[in-house]
């Protein structure tokens, strides 16, 4: 009787330690496919990421200002979500950089700007511009036509 009892216990342990059946593999595949479908159904996300500003960045969609850094200098990670503008059919994205401080009548020899334009966290456009020419006021402007970016 003792041997039969041990045999039954070994049998139960063996059944519990077997590899999962095909149903659990199919369930895992179904979950992965459902996650991919959910991602595909999510609207695209568009953003401008300002990385470096010296001294003032202004971001426009068509003719409207959507972001103004005011006067700053340094490295940043400022994310500006432009998704709703793209979805509404906006045509232009423009980034301006001003060197110096208002009223822009003092000497400021250096200016620079670094930013990314992203779609779904993938880089679409990388921009790095700088100068040591002593100009103040608006020193940089770039216009992007949104239908050409995506």
């Amino acid at each position: 009787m003792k041997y039969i009892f041990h045999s039954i216990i070994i049998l139960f342990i063996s059944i519990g330690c077997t590899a999962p059946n095909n149903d659990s593999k199919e369930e895992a595949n179904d979950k992965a496919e459902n996650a991919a479908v959910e991602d595909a159904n999510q609207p695209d996300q568009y953003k401008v990421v300002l990385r470096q500003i010296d001294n003032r960045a202004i971001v426009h969609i068509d003719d409207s200002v959507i972001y103004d850094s005011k006067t700053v200098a340094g490295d940043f990670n400022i994310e500006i979500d432009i998704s709703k503008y793209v979805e509404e059919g906006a045509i232009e994205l423009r980034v301006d950089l001003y060197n110096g401080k208002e009223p822009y009548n003092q000497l400021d020899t250096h200016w620079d700007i670094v930013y990314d334009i992203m779609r779904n966290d993938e880089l679409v456009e990388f921009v790095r511009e700088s100068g040591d020419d002593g100009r103040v006021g608006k020193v940089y402007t770039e216009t992007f036509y949104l239908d050409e970016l995506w």
Side-chain angles (χ1 to χ4, degrees):
M1 183 74 168
K2 182 177 179 181
Y3 295 111
I4 294 173
F5 180 72
H6 285 296
S7 299
I8 292 172
I9 290 175
I10 292 171
L11 178 65
F12 283 126
I13 292 171
S14 297
I15 292 171
C17 294
T18 59
N21 62 20
N22 287 339
D23 290 340
S24 46
K25 288 181 183 177
E26 288 175 12
E27 287 175 8
N29 288 338
D30 288 344
K31 286 180 183 177
E33 287 175 15
N34 288 339
V37 168
E38 286 178 17
D39 287 345
N41 290 334
Q42 296 295 322
D44 288 333
Q45 293 181 319
Y46 304 91
K47 61 187 170 185
V48 175
V49 183
L50 297 171
R51 307 264 183 215
Q52 192 169 13
I53 305 168
D54 184 358
N55 288 108
R56 180 181 184 186
I58 301 176
V59 179
H60 307 258
I61 293 289
D62 293 332
D63 289 325
S64 298
V65 173
I66 62 164
Y67 180 80
D68 185 341
S69 72
K70 304 299 181 197
T71 301
V72 296
D75 296 332
F76 303 94
N77 192 31
I78 301 167
E79 294 188 6
I80 305 160
D81 187 356
I82 62 170
S83 300
K84 73 177 185 178
Y85 304 104
V86 174
E87 290 168 9
E88 292 171 355
I91 297 170
E92 291 181 359
L93 165 67
R94 188 176 84 234
V95 179
D96 296 332
L97 180 74
Y98 290 79
N99 189 34
K101 295 178 184 172
E102 288 187 272
Y104 305 112
N105 59 1
Q106 77 289 349
L107 179 64
D108 188 338
T109 58
H110 180 76
W111 58 268
D112 63 329
I113 187 165
V114 178
Y115 61 95
D116 303 329
I117 301 174
M118 312 284 287
R119 178 182 184 189
N120 297 329
D121 292 325
E122 292 185 20
L123 184 64
V124 175
E125 193 76 34
F126 170 78
V127 177
R128 175 186 302 265
E129 296 288 337
S130 64
D132 290 316
D133 51 17
R135 292 185 297 146
V136 293
K138 188 189 283 189
V139 293
Y140 167 85
T141 189
E142 183 75 34
T143 301
F144 300 91
Y145 295 96
L146 297 175
D147 61 340
E148 295 174 6
L149 281 176
W150 329 118

